[in-house]
Amino acid sequence: MSAPTASTVPLLRAQNLAKRFGGLMAVADISFDLYGGEILAVIGPNGAGKTTLLNLLSGLYRPTTGQLQLMGRDVTNLSMEERCHLGLGRAFQIVRPFPEMTVLENVTVGALFGKSGTSLGTARAQAWELLEFTGLSAHADKPAHELTLLQDKRLEVARALATQPKVLLLDEVMAGLRPGESQEAVELVRRVQAGGVSVLFIEHIMPVVRDLAHRVVVMDAGRVLAQGTYAQVVREPRVIEAYLGSEMSSEVGVEAEVASGAGH
């Protein structure tokens, strides 16, 4: 997938981020940029530090060292709420809506939380628009606990979008979905990006990474192993050894060759 024209100033910039838990260095010296209109994938084996990185970006964790900038502003020491109000949204892998509240009410809460001073009427109107955008409007009055897994995932994205983010963090939103459902989720992320939101997502499913990501950051043992386009990183010997394996690398290498030849 070809990258959009990047602005000169990244929307999100991580500089030498590190996080230590006691004697364990979970993330070490992570640096990357996310630009306007871009979809950036973070991949790597289990235990590579991907979710810890997302927790650092969203403000759930504070880094031991390093700096994070959002739209040129230092947000390293800001809370999750403060980062959210500045335009950083997150959808979690394990979806935890308010189960007894309706789908519409769940998204309305996100709209009220995202921007201070939003009236209930405005928040409900914004929530309804997002239900239509995510394909959930037919389920607006249904309690959230009655949704299917795919609908749960859509609700999680809708709630995150309700905060009006400029940058959206997605933690394995395809997990547990069937292939057809994953393709629906891919199309939803594309529409999010087309609507002006830059996306950073963690994913294990390589065809999803191939189809969605403009660039890919590969992590291993808490560090960045490689950065580049999908076609570039799947050919990296270190990535093959640490994550893909020789059999899988030959398969994704053929995919990358086809995609590169097609001009994607």
Side-chain angles (χ1 to χ4, degrees):
M1 186 174 182
S2 59
T5 302
S7 57
T8 55
V9 178
L11 285 183
L12 189 68
R13 166 165 282 179
Q15 294 178 292
N16 308 112
L17 285 181
K19 180 63 179 179
R20 180 183 292 277
F21 297 99
L24 172 66
M25 183 64 80
V27 166
D29 198 29
I30 299 289
S31 296
F32 64 85
D33 293 332
L34 173 69
Y35 290 92
E38 189 173 35
I39 301 177
L40 181 69
V42 178
I43 67 172
N46 291 330
K50 303 183 298 297
T51 297
T52 298
L53 173 62
L54 242 62
N55 289 337
L56 290 171
L57 300 179
S58 65
L60 185 60
Y61 296 159
R62 300 290 175 86
T64 305
T65 58
Q67 184 185 62
L68 182 70
Q69 294 179 359
L70 179 63
M71 292 180 286
R73 174 174 176 174
D74 186 351
V75 298
T76 310
N77 295 311
L78 297 187
S79 66
M80 289 186 69
E81 181 177 359
E82 290 170 318
R83 295 182 196 195
C84 178
H85 290 166
L86 290 173
L88 186 66
R90 179 175 180 178
F92 289 83
Q93 176 184 1
I94 300 174
V95 182
R96 292 192 179 95
F98 300 105
E100 301 304 324
M101 293 173 64
T102 67
V103 172
L104 178 61
E105 288 169 342
N106 266 274
V107 183
T108 300
V109 169
L112 289 169
F113 177 80
K115 301 295 177 185
S116 59
T118 301
S119 70
L120 179 58
T122 299
R124 284 178 64 87
Q126 292 171 347
W128 184 258
E129 288 180 3
L130 285 168
L131 292 187
E132 292 182 328
F133 178 79
T134 55
L136 288 173
S137 57
H139 308 283
D141 297 324
K142 183 182 293 186
H145 68 81
E146 294 184 6
L147 297 181
T148 66
L149 178 60
L150 176 60
Q151 291 164 352
D152 266 340
K153 301 280 188 176
R154 288 177 176 271
L155 176 58
E156 183 70 2
V157 172
R159 291 201 304 169
L161 290 175
T163 66
Q164 301 178 48
K166 297 294 184 185
V167 174
L168 180 61
L169 309 177
L170 302 176
D171 190 355
E172 294 195 50
V173 295
M174 314 293 175
L177 299 181
R178 296 188 292 269
E181 293 173 333
S182 292
Q183 188 55 44
E184 289 184 43
V186 165
E187 293 304 322
L188 176 58
V189 175
R190 283 179 176 153
R191 288 192 286 119
V192 169
Q193 181 261 345
V197 180
S198 296
V199 178
L200 183 151
F201 72 103
I202 290 176
E203 189 51 69
H204 281 293
I205 305 170
M206 294 305 290
V208 169
V209 176
R210 176 201 62 204
D211 292 345
L212 269 182
H214 299 119
R215 289 188 301 118
V216 181
V217 174
V218 186
M219 292 183 63
D220 184 43
R223 296 181 180 273
V224 172
L225 196 62
Q227 295 190 53
T229 66
Y230 177 86
Q232 290 168 339
V233 300
V234 297
R235 292 190 178 97
E236 279 273 353
R238 293 178 302 166
V239 175
I240 295 169
E241 180 180 357
Y243 183 48
L244 296 179
S246 58
E247 182 177 341
M248 185 176 180
S249 71
S250 62
E251 179 181 337
V252 297
V254 169
E255 293 173 346
E257 192 72 47
V258 171
S260 177
H264 292 299

